[in-house]
Amino acid sequence: MTENTLEGVLSAGGDIVELLRNQQTGPNAYPGVPAEYSNWRSEQIAWVDTCVLFNQSFHMVDLEVSGPDAFAMLNHLGINSFKGFIPDRAKQFVPVTPDGYVIGDVILFYLEENRFNLVGRAPAIEWVEFHAQSGKWNCTAVRDERTAARPDPQNRKSFRFQLQGPNAMKTLEKALGQTPPDLKFFHMTTMTIAGKTVRALRHGMAGQPGYELFGPFADHDVVRQALIDAGKDFGLTLVGGRTYSSNTLESGWIPSPLPAVYTGEALKPYREWLTANSYEAKASIGGSFVPDSVEGYYLTPWDLGYGPFVKFDHDFIGREALEKMANQPHRKKVTLALDSADVVRVMSSSLQKGDRAKYIEFPSAVYSMHPYDSVLVDGKIVGVSTWVGYSANEGKMLTLAMLDEEHAVPGTVVTLLWGEPDGGTRKPTVERHVQTEIKAIVSPVPYSEVARDSYADSWRTRQPA
């Protein structure tokens, strides 16, 4: 019986696009921390000026994969090369469907021989979990559910912190009582903080240097307090849930590809394995982009900037499809800097009666789990915007988008179609509104003030009359 599965939900739900666009779920929640510790403006600015502590202990799924076939299975599921991949290393792990479309991405930690940990949003983790339970591989997968989807939110297996910013290394040095090891990017080591053993990954978010620190959840409070105490002289700022989701606008990582699993006969067994309460069954889509079928939302590795990850040095699910795509034109990931006057115009519509544009929330204006807005040139769709919000560091409203290559040149003027058609969908995060157009300038990823200034003249000279 498939009633309590994703396949059952889809069979009963009619048109898949309409189902996902009208889901009753809003954007991903960031539980376990206050919305703001101080205020989101100061919290954003701190990751550029001093340093911040992100608490990632609650909002992501962890999956431990272990056993003799763990390496071989993960190698078979990812587009990434595993050549030279050894313990105390990590990588951004990207699985695709047999048709070559992205299921999701997570960070894959190689903890020790035959033992791995995957951390991130659920779709990629569930794909791995499904294959680990298939009986084809001699390995086991143990899931540690995110706080928002578990009955015992304070009983997680691990804590996970991000220490980021110009003063991150000074803070870590004081917490350790010695100079931190000089690690290469995505290399790991073991440290001792306040008498507790902590694993450390050299990492970076929001375009700033730093470490990801993790260990047993029982040590959460002790290690956190030690880092806070160590950072007092270096401007350490705690980041709340409201601020956290906006950091990706500056780092350039797109966190929201819709898992490309809703169609295709080859994926039917997977949809029958996923429950009616799974991430995929509850996922919501928002925005102005409405394709004819759900496949219009599917993304390739190149769309997301993962083209360099695709390595044909191993056999993996989706390889044949990606080989056919490799030499075809690809959309390119960019940042769109929205015209401030147009943003103010949209916001000012809330201060009137009658027609109003879709409300713009600060700092993150994302109102669904998977935002997709149309990007236009001369009224024609040339790409999609997937994440939108405000950067106090840049003083700009930014979006992360994927454009046809000919329009992805920095300095190009495009239009973001803001708001949903026909007054908006039935999602509870959507009020009645009218669509409106916002001018934007194509900019690099990651976005920076230097890049903005470099294209200022282009922006001024290429404005439509």
Side-chain angles (χ1 to χ4, degrees):
M1 302 294 287
T2 62
E3 289 84 352
N4 295 320
T5 68
L6 173 62
E7 183 70 10
V9 170
L10 299 177
S11 297
D15 183 80
I16 299 175
V17 171
E18 286 299 302
L19 173 68
L20 297 178
R21 287 182 57 80
N22 288 284
Q23 291 275 40
Q24 297 300 289
T25 46
N28 264 15
Y30 297 90
V33 297
E36 296 169 286
Y37 283 95
S38 51
N39 66 83
W40 59 261
R41 284 84 59 200
S42 297
E43 291 173 12
Q44 281 189 341
I45 290 169
W47 63 54
V48 170
D49 287 354
T50 55
C51 61
V52 295
L53 186 65
F54 297 111
N55 193 341
Q56 301 176 311
S57 304
F58 306 102
H59 74 274
M60 297 186 293
V61 183
D62 285 29
L63 186 74
E64 182 174 303
V65 180
S66 59
D69 288 346
F71 185 101
M73 183 188 71
L74 293 168
N75 185 44
H76 180 64
L77 298 180
I79 65 174
N80 317 72
S81 175
F82 274 46
K83 285 188 175 179
F85 194 38
I86 60 175
D88 273 339
R89 301 287 190 273
K91 64 172 72 243
Q92 194 169 356
F93 176 77
V94 183
V96 299
T97 67
D99 291 328
Y101 294 104
V102 172
I103 294 172
D105 68 294
V106 292
I107 302 301
L108 171 63
F109 298 81
Y110 198 166
L111 300 176
E112 59 189 50
E113 198 69 32
N114 298 328
R115 182 168 168 256
F116 301 82
N117 203 43
L118 298 95
V119 181
R121 282 198 180 191
I125 285 175
E126 289 172 338
W127 182 247
V128 172
E129 198 174 9
F130 168 71
H131 285 275
Q133 294 179 11
S134 68
K136 299 177 181 179
W137 306 92
N138 184 11
C139 65
T140 59
V142 179
R143 181 166 175 162
D144 186 22
E145 186 58 81
R146 61 193 176 96
T147 297
R150 61 186 298 142
D152 52 348
Q154 293 299 319
N155 193 30
R156 294 216 63 183
K157 183 177 179 181
S158 302
F159 70 78
R160 196 167 299 275
F161 304 132
Q162 282 270 354
L163 185 64
Q164 303 288 330
N167 292 343
M169 298 306 289
K170 294 178 182 178
T171 298
L172 186 58
E173 180 173 357
K174 188 166 184 180
L176 292 172
Q178 62 184 28
T179 302
D182 185 17
L183 288 181
K184 294 181 179 179
F185 184 71
F186 264 31
H187 284 223
M188 291 191 291
T189 190
T190 299
M191 302 175 173
T192 301
I193 297 177
K196 305 298 184 180
T197 300
V198 176
R199 298 291 290 268
L201 169 71
R202 179 68 174 82
H203 193 13
M205 291 179 68
Q208 297 296 328
Y211 273 92
E212 181 165 319
L213 307 167
F214 58 100
F217 191 82
D219 298 337
H220 171 282
D221 293 350
V222 172
V223 175
R224 178 177 178 273
Q225 190 59 51
L227 293 170
I228 292 172
D229 292 343
K232 287 180 178 177
D233 295 334
F234 307 113
L236 178 70
T237 299
L238 302 180
V239 173
R242 185 176 181 184
T243 315
Y244 178 83
S245 65
S246 67
N247 77 80
T248 193
L249 293 164
E250 295 177 32
S251 68
W253 170 63
I254 295 177
S256 56
L258 183 76
V261 301
Y262 293 92
T263 53
E265 192 64 26
L267 292 174
K268 185 175 181 180
Y270 182 53
R271 293 192 297 271
E272 292 176 339
W273 178 85
L274 288 167
T275 72
N277 199 42
S278 63
Y279 178 105
E280 293 80 357
K282 300 293 186 181
S284 62
I285 295 175
S288 60
F289 180 61
V290 187
D292 293 333
S293 67
V294 72
E295 285 92 345
Y297 291 119
Y298 294 175
L299 304 174
T300 73
W302 291 277
D303 292 333
L304 294 161
Y306 297 155
F309 294 177
V310 181
K311 300 298 181 184
F312 299 119
D313 61 359
H314 64 297
D315 181 35
F316 61 92
I317 293 176
R319 172 175 172 164
E320 183 177 349
L322 293 185
E323 286 177 326
K324 293 177 180 178
M325 294 181 190
N327 295 319
Q328 296 178 3
H330 302 293
R331 287 182 294 188
K332 184 178 180 181
K333 182 171 69 170
V334 300
T335 305
L336 300 183
L338 302 189
D339 178 53
S340 296
D342 270 2
V343 172
V344 170
R345 172 181 56 80
V346 170
M347 294 173 60
S348 69
S349 72
S350 294
L351 303 176
Q352 65 185 32
K353 292 185 177 181
D355 289 343
R356 295 173 180 170
K358 177 74 185 75
Y359 183 73
I360 295 179
E361 182 65 88
F362 280 64
S364 175
V366 173
Y367 55 89
S368 65
M369 290 168 67
H370 299 277
Y372 282 81
D373 286 305
S374 296
V375 180
L376 313 172
V377 170
D378 297 328
K380 177 185 175 182
I381 296 177
V382 298
V384 291
S385 162
T386 67
W387 205 262
V388 58
Y390 174 78
S391 166
N393 293 301
E394 303 297 342
K396 290 293 274 188
M397 185 69 68
L398 305 173
T399 87
L400 298 177
M402 299 164 285
L403 304 185
D404 296 342
E405 195 166 359
E406 64 182 296
H407 300 290
V409 180
T412 302
V413 177
V414 297
T415 299
L416 175 75
L417 183 59
W418 178 246
E420 298 185 330
D422 303 321
T425 54
R426 297 188 299 276
K427 290 187 293 293
T429 53
V430 177
E431 74 284 8
R432 296 299 90 191
H433 65 275
V434 295
Q435 287 185 312
T436 189
E437 295 184 351
I438 300 175
K439 294 189 296 292
I441 184 169
V442 176
S443 306
V445 175
Y447 188 82
S448 68
E449 184 178 1
V450 172
R452 181 184 67 196
D453 291 345
S454 297
Y455 299 107
D457 289 340
S458 176
W459 169 252
R460 284 190 288 268
T461 59
R462 298 180 65 178
Q463 287 299 297

